[in-house]
Amino acid sequence: MPQSPASPSLKTLAAALGVSVATVSRVLSGQAERYRISVATRNRVLEAASASGIVVDQLARSLRLRRTLSIGLVIPDISNPFFAQLARQIERHARRHGYSVLIADSEEDAEVEAQAIRLMLSRRVDGLILAPVGTPATSAPLRSLGARPCVLVDRLLDDPPLPAVTSDHRRGAEIATLHLIERGHRRIACVQGSPGTFANDERIAGWRTAMAASGLPCGPERVAGTGYSIDAALAAAHALLMRGERPTGILALGNVLALGVLQAARDARISIPDDLSLVAFDDQLWAAVTSPPLTIIEQPIEALGREVLELLLARIASPTGGPPTRNILPVRLIERGSVRDLRPKIPALVPISHRAADPSDNATRRVAAP
Amino acid sequence: MPQSPASPSLKTLAAALGVSVATVSRVLSGQAERYRISVATRNRVLEAASASGIVVDQLARSLRLRRTLSIGLVIPDISNPFFAQLARQIERHARRHGYSVLIADSEEDAEVEAQAIRLMLSRRVDGLILAPVGTPATSAPLRSLGARPCVLVDRLLDDPPLPAVTSDHRRGAEIATLHLIERGHRRIACVQGSPGTFANDERIAGWRTAMAASGLPCGPERVAGTGYSIDAALAAAHALLMRGERPTGILALGNVLALGVLQAARDARISIPDDLSLVAFDDQLWAAVTSPPLTIIEQPIEALGREVLELLLARIASPTGGPPTRNILPVRLIERGSVRDLRPKIPALVPISHRAADPSDNATRRVAAP
DNA sequence: TTGAATTGCGCAAACGATTGTGCAACGCTC
DNA sequence: GAGCGTTGCACAATCGTTTGCGCAATTCAA
């Protein structure tokens, strides 16, 4: 490794000081006392190191220590706002724990993801955080992880059983659906992203649970969408709005999908929320500023990032043979202006109440492994 | 480094095959022919390697080769849509060139940035891509780079003179301002982010150039804003709209700032574009879907990412002593619905023309170092 | 058959930092 | 002065892969 003039090695520093490389190493790694280096020598080394601006070669350290103090982060799309924010939280928390983050974008492709995982292994990351692509299942490349710690985010897998942290997507959709139902909506449809992906399917299931519990129709004709893009959502919303019974409310199961719904509504000269109510998933800055500002289900991204990292660090520090931990974090509804109250106005009889998600319904759920 | 059961070392493979570690290394690194390994031995090694799923230790390789095949990427905020998209482009292109990306978030803080740079150096990245924080200047920690290749993105620095790739922010603001002027606007103001940051100052300068060239007022009372957030932009827009002569058009010098302007307009019951025209900088999916869809100045993020990476790879492959390359990439205006035409309607006399940025005005500018 | 050329490896040193152990020097006690 | 204990290092091996060079075995040509 070519050393720049500004960064000598321990060897050059030792030669300049007339001590051994071992002594320099012990001082710089904070182990002078343990190895009985004298205070005088220690100070000489520290002064020389400070003056030279030495940067210890982490490669050599890692090889000797068999530990890199780095983690791998493999996510489907770095520019997706959810993953971008998640990456930020993970990177910041990792750095505070002395870890570096090696990032890879799996491009929503299982083959790219498999390659990214192998690459992380070759770089001997101490652990891996993986947000798996939706389909197909990614268990095969995960087997090559062996005993190397890995934590999933935004996904649960049964085989191999890995620890995971996700948001309670199902509950989020239930809350959103009940929010509409409580405001008089009976025809509630879903604009979904990619069927088969964890978050998507959980949200569909939550919508179904709430609809069924209220005796409302929740058949497949009320779900539209084939992919996670504005265009796909536009077509899906168009189909829902133009064919069959028009819904009074729509759940857009992602913020990009909400944009498609907004576009479709505008194209069809349908006013939100007057003619159609909308609840979107995952908050973005713009969602609070649109006209109208959107009622959304918000994920706790900061907590997600923090918990997934801490779960991984715990695994790195102390591998455990027990069942994998799975944290399902609560989501919450943020009410803004995109849902119309369809209930008849009864003056001064029933107070209009604003109900957010009840905290007792949303405690972190720890799920036992199957 | 603990080897998982699924990943033996070259040593274990060599022992199992009855050959030396050197032979296994030569075969797996694709150098069997160069080192005259027989076809029979080569095939034996390849089969055993495939069967065992061996993952070569990149750490050891890097130490021996003095090359990590990794690059460092230090950006001010991973979750900022611009940087998230830039990171995605860089990561994808890097991967295709066989490089991994080590990412760090400088949290818009010069001290964090300095630490991130040192961390990258300790990990012996082959090169560094740096999007410097705005203020203060970051030249001090850059000196510790020595001869290690570094390319700036979204910033130019004179000392040390480093190669850089940026968008033509100045020209972008000129185009936006002229766009408004050509549509009859005479009172054009700016909502800025953090003064002193490169993009911000370039955009202000471009606005001034266009305003001065048209003999229009461009004093400091027409510029408001102290930071890059919705709240700061909201306050700035409020000041511009409520005090003094109300502008007919506003440049929001970033998409987050545009959200603040939209909010301020709604609060003041000012309709866009009827009462106030708006041009925003940096496209986002939502900007095309808002009501009205926003006219924006778009940066070529894909090209930025690609060019900065290729410039860095060229520097890694062949350090050059000449003046640093600086690529200023053209931006373009995308006209949507947030700009009102204030010109008097003269029926059938003057064809209403839609003018995008003229390509000849926007060829990549290569700027000589000062 | 002999000598030269070719083939196909293995050995050992390198990369830079870490760490167990041994040893020289010194100080203290009897 | 001799013996013991303490201090403060340096030496050498380790980590896993790469690569220059030497050498044994084989082949070819005279």
Side-chain angles (χ1 to χ4, degrees), chain A residues 10 18 32 34 39 45-46 53 77 83 85 104 111 115 137 203 245 352 359:
Chain A
L10 298 211
R34 176 182 168 194
V39 171
V45 172
L46 289 178
D77 182 359
F83 289 118
Q85 288 173 62
E111 182 54 38
Q115 285 169 10
R203 285 166 175 164
E245 259 187 322
I352 312 282

Side-chain angles (χ1 to χ4, degrees), chain B:
Chain B
M1 185 69 67
Q3 297 296 322
S4 64
S7 185
S9 64
L10 298 211
K11 182 176 172 183
T12 49
L13 206 63
L17 289 168
V19 299
S20 72
V21 173
T23 296
V24 175
S25 175
R26 284 162 173 157
V27 171
L28 293 189
S29 62
Q31 301 186 92
E33 210 166 327
R34 177 181 167 194
Y35 287 101
R36 302 184 324 197
I37 310 295
S38 70
V39 171
T41 301
R42 174 176 171 274
N43 288 337
R44 279 202 311 135
V45 172
L46 288 177
E47 281 166 21
S50 180
S52 71
I54 192 172
V55 177
V56 177
D57 189 328
Q58 197 64 27
L59 277 182
R61 283 198 98 230
S62 299
L63 186 61
R64 182 63 177 76
L65 294 177
R66 311 180 71 160
R67 192 179 177 206
T68 57
L69 286 176
S70 66
I71 63 168
L73 173 60
V74 180
I75 52 180
D77 182 0
I78 302 176
S79 67
N80 175 312
F82 170 74
F83 289 118
Q85 288 172 63
L86 184 65
R88 182 178 68 156
Q89 295 302 330
I90 290 171
E91 194 276 335
R92 289 184 183 189
H93 280 95
R95 191 163 13 97
R96 285 175 201 139
H97 284 89
Y99 281 79
S100 296
V101 173
L102 211 47
I103 198 166
D105 183 316
S106 54
E107 304 187 43
E108 302 272 14
D109 183 292
E111 182 53 38
V112 177
E113 182 184 86
Q115 285 168 11
I117 292 173
R118 287 186 68 85
L119 185 64
M120 296 296 176
L121 290 176
S122 80
R123 292 193 180 271
R124 299 296 191 263
V125 290
D126 293 337
L128 184 69
I129 292 174
L130 172 66
V133 301
T135 51
T138 54
S139 53
L142 290 178
R143 293 188 193 287
S144 62
L145 284 170
R148 187 158 311 276
C150 175
V151 178
L152 303 180
V153 62
D154 208 41
R155 183 75 181 273
L156 300 176
L157 278 183
D158 291 332
D159 177 26
L162 290 169
V165 181
T166 81
S167 298
D168 198 345
H169 299 304
R170 184 174 297 209
R171 181 63 192 156
E174 285 177 34
I175 291 168
T177 307
L178 291 173
H179 185 76
L180 289 169
I181 290 170
E182 287 160 4
R183 281 154 188 70
H185 294 267
R186 296 295 177 264
R187 300 195 299 273
I188 301 167
C190 287
V191 170
Q192 71 175 351
S194 308
T197 63
F198 175 72
N200 191 79
D201 293 354
E202 286 288 293
R203 285 166 175 164
I204 295 285
W207 163 78
R208 280 214 169 96
T209 299
M211 293 295 273
S214 303
L216 297 173
C218 51
E221 71 283 353
R222 293 192 183 274
V223 180
T226 58
Y228 197 79
S229 69
I230 290 193
D231 291 343
L234 177 57
H238 185 85
L240 290 172
L241 297 176
M242 298 300 168
R243 291 194 268 108
E245 257 187 325
R246 181 190 290 179
T248 61
I250 283 185
L251 303 195
L253 305 188
N255 55 70
V256 170
L257 304 179
L259 292 174
V261 175
L262 287 171
Q263 183 81 5
R266 182 182 297 114
D267 292 350
R269 298 182 184 278
I270 292 171
S271 167
I272 288 170
D274 294 337
D275 305 323
L276 175 70
S277 292
L278 173 63
V279 181
F281 285 70
D282 301 334
D283 203 18
Q284 290 298 305
L285 292 181
W286 59 264
V289 180
T290 55
S291 187
L294 301 186
T295 294
I296 54 95
I297 295 291
E298 178 189 59
Q299 291 195 56
I301 297 182
E302 195 278 330
L304 269 175
R306 195 181 65 241
E307 289 218 2
V308 70
L309 182 78
E310 288 179 3
L311 195 51
L312 183 63
L313 294 185
R315 287 308 198 106
I316 291 172
S318 169
T320 174
T325 304
R326 295 177 174 194
N327 295 353
I328 315 284
L329 303 191
V331 298
R332 67 171 176 150
L333 180 137
I334 297 184
E335 187 173 13
R336 291 194 185 114
S338 59
V339 173
R340 178 183 171 194
D341 195 330
L342 297 184
R343 290 169 296 185
K345 313 280 194 212
I346 306 180
L349 247 181
V350 184
I352 312 282
S353 75
H354 161 199
R355 174 174 177 261
D358 185 333
S360 65
D361 288 345
N362 283 279
T364 305
R365 291 201 281 129
R366 303 209 179 229
V367 183

